[in-house]
Amino acid sequence: MESLQFMTRQIGEEMHLKEEQIKQVISLLDDGNTIPFIARYRKEITGQLDETQLREIAERITYLRTLYDRKLEVIRLIDEQGKLTEELRIQIEQATKLQQIEDLYRPYKPKRRTRASIAKEKGLEPFASILLDPSKVDQIEEIALQFINPNQEVGSIEDVIQGGQDIIAEMISDDPSVRQWIREETLKHGVLIVQAKDKQQESVYEMYYDYQEPVKSIRSHRILAINRGEKEDFIKVKIHMEEESIYKHIQKKFTPLTNFKKLPERLLLVIEDSYKRLIAPSIEREVRQILTEKAEEQAIHIFSANLRQLLLQPPIKGKMVLGVDPAYRTGCKLAVIDPTGKVEDIRVIYPTPPQNKIEESKKQLKELVDRFQIELIVIGNGTASRETEQFIADFIREMEQDIFYLIVNEAGASVYSASELAREEFPELDVSERSAISIARRIQDPLAELVKIDPKSVGVGQYQHDVSQKRLEESLKQVVESVVNYVGVDANTASVSLLQYISGMNKTVAKNLVAYREEYGKFNSREELKNIPRFGAKTYEQAIGFLRIDGDNPLDKTSIHPESYQVAYDLLDYIGYPVHDIGSEKIKEKLKEIQVDALSQHLQIGIPTLKDIIESLIRPFRDPRDELPKPILLKDILKIEDLKPGMHLQGTVRNVVDFGAFIDIGVKEDGLVHISELSDHYVKHPLDVVSVGDIVDVRVLQIDVSKKRISLTMKNQGK
């Protein structure tokens, strides 16, 4: 049976990595180290593997350990029946997939009573073996007479023959090699056929009312759409296979010396019965499950990639922001937020129908702009956003100040506003007022605000409700964890929502940190965090490099881990500057001149870690998000009716899906750049070209005002 060494070798071969790298990663994971910590602070040990590679290793070792445990269990279960042969044991031990083990176990797995098991109870198993012997074909009825047993309800020759056929049919169905071959053939040559249950019934699935596509080529988003349509009872689905090649393969396996065309009619019927009644329904379920799992993985991958880019949107710092949650009857809720995220004012105006108190609303808005020197107005894209945008654009035109506005995707704002977290944060405010605050803050610091919202609600997914919710939740949590640790957080200002994602921490530890901070005041050093309840040595080791503190020691505000502080001091001594000079121009130039290879030997530290330390000393207080393109700020409104084919615009990528990308071009409706319009060159997947948050140049192809659809292209820009 496989050892850890065998698993290590297998993962190394799969990922084209050295066995020693895999071994070290597994050891680090088993010792309780987190993936962000390993990726950032254990580069020498892993050979500089990134987070993606580390997560793949973690997933594979989990799978292989599950595989190993299942092998032990299946061997034990078969052995207890007294049916374990050495050949079977070897087959199980050499299996590389769980499906192979289940195929091998299938003949020995306890079943409910079947036609075959009933026939065996009647003593017909020896007769089934005779049926498979072509040389006995002319003597079958004569032999069957010997198995007639009225006491066992086997009263006729036909009863005997039928019982024997049922046993053979199940034996064929249970054969692991037959099942594997048919499964692979179905994946290669099967055709998915979809039909309407009622063609007269209108639904969003009408394109699938008479649809077929090869199993091997069907796209993931179609699989999920078809699954949903089937679940909602609008369509029915089946997989079609050419059966003759399957029958021939089964015949070669069980009667290898007989020509298929000369096979006794009785055996032909058994093979057909075995496939149609027992194998085909089961294999179809398995193939549908394989397709669904692949489609779910693709949907989760897209959602995760989009979420990462959304969370990494650059913060707009240092501005007074007015958040607007649009509405009709109940009015637009306003929230004035200062550059630190503090709420300065909350109120309601009624510029939209049915009240239409436009002048009164402008007066209140002007008062807020003048009083707080508001530079940016952020409008949610929900109900009444178009009318609210028109009102804001008109207001800006009348003002002398340099004010801009921005439409933001408010997906998830209402979820947050009604949450327990929002009630704790703003107990005196109602739901819509909290929503206006969330809308404003997600521009000031998208990451800090969006971590308060269930990732499934942020509006960048594709069929997220149709995939495994457990797998989706795990993947999205990994994305949030990765981004939070990549950016780092200020331990003196970060919320529990942010802190709980820091490497080595959880919600309880995060709450303890915030409670300690509130009781004793701001932290002045990373060392002080050791005093927090439940903040033990392991938690400190895993978390501290991602927690920033603007205190007594400038290194505490960098991404340098305290375990490397002495190296940092030695490095600074080497170039002749004190620690308080880090980040200055004079120290930057000196650090850029360093010969890393020679210095790593002098300081006795690995080159990757030394490079990270040098980078942190050059840009000690870096926020990686600041290097990304800022959102497009607007001053005037653009309506869908204003668009004309051929018009060139700039827009922001809001969502990426299998078939293209949705672009915010400043009108209420996002435009779609179909995958075929993303580039002049072939595009395998939209994520290869664009990401959420990208600023892109587009050209209008078509506008359907009645259906509110805008088709865009990114081809031939500038022509």
Side-chain angles (χ1 to χ4, degrees):
M1 191 66 74
E2 305 100 310
S3 61
L4 182 60
Q5 183 179 3
F6 178 88
M7 296 181 192
T8 301
R9 184 165 59 251
Q10 184 168 333
I11 297 172
E13 289 172 357
E14 291 171 356
M15 297 182 64
H16 307 292
L17 296 171
K18 295 176 182 177
E19 286 184 43
E20 185 60 26
Q21 286 178 287
I22 309 298
K23 182 180 177 182
Q24 294 291 359
V25 171
I26 294 170
S27 178
L28 286 165
L29 290 169
D30 287 347
D31 285 343
N33 296 284
T34 70
I35 286 176
F37 175 81
I38 297 170
R40 182 69 177 79
Y41 298 111
R42 294 295 180 263
K43 291 180 179 178
E44 281 85 7
I45 295 177
T46 69
Q48 301 188 72
L49 297 179
D50 61 29
E51 276 195 42
T52 301
Q53 292 169 305
L54 293 170
R55 292 195 190 282
E56 187 175 346
I57 292 169
E59 288 177 4
R60 285 301 292 150
I61 195 63
T62 298
Y63 179 87
L64 290 175
R65 282 171 170 167
T66 301
L67 185 75
Y68 177 82
D69 291 341
R70 183 58 176 159
K71 288 179 181 181
L72 290 178
E73 185 180 20
V74 166
I75 286 172
R76 176 184 62 80
L77 291 169
I78 298 175
D79 194 30
E80 286 176 355
Q81 297 177 31
K83 297 178 180 178
L84 183 66
T85 64
E86 188 59 27
E87 181 186 3
L88 181 56
R89 181 194 292 274
I90 291 170
Q91 285 181 305
I92 294 170
E93 289 178 349
Q94 292 180 345
T96 57
K97 295 180 181 179
L98 283 168
Q99 183 64 64
Q100 289 175 290
I101 298 172
E102 298 310 319
D103 283 349
L104 290 165
Y105 179 47
R106 188 182 181 90
Y108 310 96
K109 188 176 183 179
K111 300 182 177 74
R112 57 179 177 79
R113 292 186 82 216
T114 63
R115 284 162 47 174
S117 64
I118 292 169
K120 288 177 182 178
E121 290 169 6
K122 295 177 179 179
L124 297 177
E125 203 162 2
F127 178 75
S129 300
I130 296 168
L131 266 179
L132 282 172
D133 185 352
S135 66
K136 301 282 196 330
V137 65
D138 295 327
Q139 307 166 41
I140 287 300
E141 293 188 1
E142 183 181 332
I143 296 170
L145 283 170
Q146 302 170 28
F147 289 87
I148 292 176
N149 185 348
N151 294 331
Q152 292 283 355
E153 299 182 2
V154 184
S156 67
I157 291 173
E158 281 309 311
D159 288 345
V160 175
I161 293 174
Q162 184 61 57
Q165 291 179 168
D166 289 340
I167 292 170
I168 295 171
E170 187 169 279
M171 179 177 66
I172 293 171
S173 172
D174 283 347
D175 187 274
S177 63
V178 167
R179 295 187 68 83
Q180 183 174 343
W181 186 86
I182 294 175
R183 187 185 299 112
E184 290 173 356
E185 285 297 295
T186 306
L187 287 167
K188 287 178 189 175
H189 304 297
V191 177
L192 194 75
I193 297 176
V194 188
Q195 293 178 319
K197 284 204 166 183
D198 179 0
K199 287 189 176 181
Q200 307 305 314
Q201 191 174 14
E202 293 184 4
S203 79
V204 295
Y205 307 104
E206 288 176 15
M207 70 170 289
Y208 297 112
Y209 277 10
D210 187 11
Y211 182 86
Q212 65 180 50
E213 187 171 353
V215 166
K216 65 181 178 183
S217 62
I218 191 163
R219 298 289 295 272
S220 296
H221 63 278
R222 290 201 188 107
I223 289 291
L224 295 176
I226 288 168
N227 287 355
R228 186 194 291 177
E230 183 182 39
K231 187 176 180 180
E232 294 178 10
D233 213 29
F234 286 104
I235 54 179
K236 52 187 178 181
V237 186
K238 66 178 181 179
I239 294 178
H240 172 73
M241 275 291 291
E242 292 297 332
E243 295 169 354
E244 187 166 344
S245 62
I246 292 173
Y247 296 159
K248 286 182 178 179
H249 179 81
I250 294 172
Q251 179 266 325
K252 286 179 183 177
K253 168 77 178 178
F254 288 93
T255 54
L257 301 178
T258 307
N259 183 286
F260 182 72
K261 291 182 179 178
K262 295 182 179 179
L263 200 67
E265 182 69 21
R266 196 172 275 115
L267 282 180
L268 285 172
L269 292 173
V270 172
I271 291 171
E272 183 178 337
D273 174 56
S274 178
Y275 176 69
K276 288 185 174 180
R277 178 170 62 88
L278 300 175
I279 302 175
S282 174
I283 294 294
E284 181 167 331
R285 285 193 298 271
E286 290 174 13
V287 169
R288 290 282 306 275
Q289 184 60 33
I290 290 169
L291 292 176
T292 297
E293 286 174 1
K294 285 183 178 178
E296 287 186 355
E297 284 301 310
Q298 174 69 357
I300 290 170
H301 167 68
I302 292 171
F303 198 154
S304 298
N306 288 343
L307 177 63
R308 182 177 182 84
Q309 294 305 122
L310 182 67
L311 294 175
L312 282 172
Q313 291 304 287
I316 295 182
K317 298 174 181 177
K319 292 186 184 293
M320 291 293 295
V321 177
L322 175 67
V324 183
D325 183 15
Y328 289 117
R329 183 181 55 81
T330 56
C332 299
K333 311 304 185 295
L334 309 181
V336 179
I337 311 295
D338 80 0
T340 68
K342 180 184 175 185
V343 181
E344 295 287 356
D345 199 302
I346 292 282
R347 65 179 66 183
V348 184
I349 58 175
Y350 298 90
T352 56
Q355 285 89 343
N356 290 315
K357 297 178 181 179
I358 294 174
E359 292 307 315
E360 180 185 321
S361 298
K362 283 183 180 179
K363 184 179 177 181
Q364 289 201 56
L365 204 56
K366 186 176 188 306
E367 178 196 334
L368 290 174
V369 168
D370 291 341
R371 179 178 162 198
F372 295 105
Q373 293 299 296
I374 289 167
E375 302 167 78
L376 179 62
I377 300 172
V378 184
I379 308 166
N381 68 342
T383 304
S385 68
R386 183 168 181 174
E387 292 82 355
T388 304
E389 181 187 9
Q390 183 68 65
F391 164 73
I392 295 295
D394 292 343
F395 170 78
I396 288 175
R397 277 197 295 270
E398 296 172 10
M399 295 293 290
E400 295 180 1
Q401 291 101 317
D402 207 13
I403 306 170
F404 294 88
Y405 78 88
L406 186 64
I407 303 289
V408 299
N409 187 346
E410 65 177 46
S414 58
V415 175
Y416 158 74
S417 302
S419 69
E420 184 180 344
L421 177 61
R423 288 194 296 273
E424 289 176 2
E425 199 171 359
F426 303 108
E428 74 284 0
L429 302 180
D430 69 26
V431 170
S432 55
E433 289 169 335
R434 295 176 195 145
S435 184
I437 296 169
S438 178
I439 287 168
R441 282 181 169 177
R442 63 175 59 190
I443 283 297
Q444 289 184 317
D445 192 341
L447 177 58
E449 196 61 28
L450 289 170
V451 292
K452 300 175 183 176
I453 300 166
D454 180 351
K456 294 195 290 291
S457 302
V458 297
V460 291
Q462 171 183 297
Y463 295 103
Q464 62 262 37
H465 302 296
D466 298 311
V467 304
S468 163
Q469 295 303 294
K470 182 181 177 184
R471 180 73 185 90
L472 176 64
E473 193 171 322
E474 288 172 354
S475 182
L476 299 186
K477 184 180 177 183
Q478 288 175 1
V479 171
V480 179
E481 178 188 73
S482 173
V483 171
V484 170
N485 287 284
Y486 172 65
V487 173
V489 303
D490 186 336
N492 280 316
T493 60
S495 66
V496 171
S497 301
L498 265 176
L499 290 166
Q500 67 182 337
Y501 288 106
I502 287 293
S503 166
M505 295 180 65
N506 55 34
K507 196 167 188 176
T508 300
V509 175
K511 284 182 175 179
N512 288 347
L513 187 153
V514 172
Y516 190 91
R517 186 177 72 199
E518 290 174 350
E519 183 175 354
Y520 296 102
K522 72 184 290 287
F523 299 105
N524 291 308
S525 72
R526 281 172 163 170
E527 192 73 16
E528 290 179 24
L529 293 169
K530 292 180 177 179
N531 299 324
I532 299 168
R534 302 276 298 273
F535 212 89
K538 192 66 177 180
T539 300
Y540 182 86
E541 177 197 48
Q542 300 295 304
I544 202 65
F546 305 104
L547 295 170
R548 315 281 190 258
I549 292 176
D550 187 4
D552 302 330
N553 186 347
L555 294 182
D556 284 349
K557 200 177 175 182
T558 73
S559 60
I560 300 172
H561 197 285
E563 67 187 11
S564 297
Y565 277 8
Q566 189 56 53
V567 176
Y569 293 137
D570 293 344
L571 170 57
L572 291 166
D573 286 343
Y574 180 80
I575 62 173
Y577 284 97
V579 70
H580 288 279
D581 280 351
I582 64 173
S584 64
E585 288 303 318
K586 55 185 179 181
I587 208 171
K588 286 180 184 178
E589 293 306 314
K590 199 73 174 175
L591 287 165
K592 287 177 182 177
E593 296 172 2
I594 286 176
Q595 298 295 317
V596 176
D597 291 2
L599 186 59
S600 71
Q601 293 181 17
H602 175 73
L603 297 177
Q604 295 186 328
I605 189 170
I607 290 175
T609 297
L610 180 58
K611 284 182 176 179
D612 284 344
I613 292 172
I614 292 171
E615 176 64 23
S616 294
L617 293 175
I618 290 173
R619 296 191 290 176
F621 317 126
R622 168 182 177 254
D623 185 336
R625 298 172 296 171
D626 291 339
E627 297 162 17
L628 298 169
K630 297 289 190 290
I632 300 172
L633 304 181
L634 308 170
K635 273 205 160 188
D636 206 351
I637 196 166
L638 182 67
K639 299 176 184 176
I640 191 171
E641 291 83 2
D642 299 329
L643 300 178
K644 305 292 181 190
M647 186 180 287
H648 287 259
L649 299 162
Q650 197 173 53
T652 305
V653 179
R654 290 294 183 207
N655 199 9
V656 182
V657 293
D658 277 338
F659 52 84
F662 289 95
I663 315 294
D664 175 4
I665 54 172
V667 302
K668 182 175 172 61
E669 295 77 19
D670 289 342
L672 172 66
V673 180
H674 189 267
I675 187 171
S676 61
E677 296 293 335
L678 282 168
S679 171
D680 292 318
H681 306 290
Y682 170 74
V683 176
K684 186 175 181 180
H685 193 277
L687 282 173
D688 298 334
V689 180
V690 291
S691 299
V692 168
D694 285 355
I695 307 299
V696 295
D697 293 318
V698 295
R699 181 163 48 86
V700 178
L701 284 179
Q702 292 180 321
I703 311 102
D704 188 329
V705 177
S706 62
K707 293 184 178 179
K708 298 182 179 180
R709 290 179 182 170
I710 306 165
S711 297
L712 306 171
T713 182
M714 288 170 56
K715 285 183 174 180
N716 301 317
Q717 295 301 302
K719 286 192 177 181

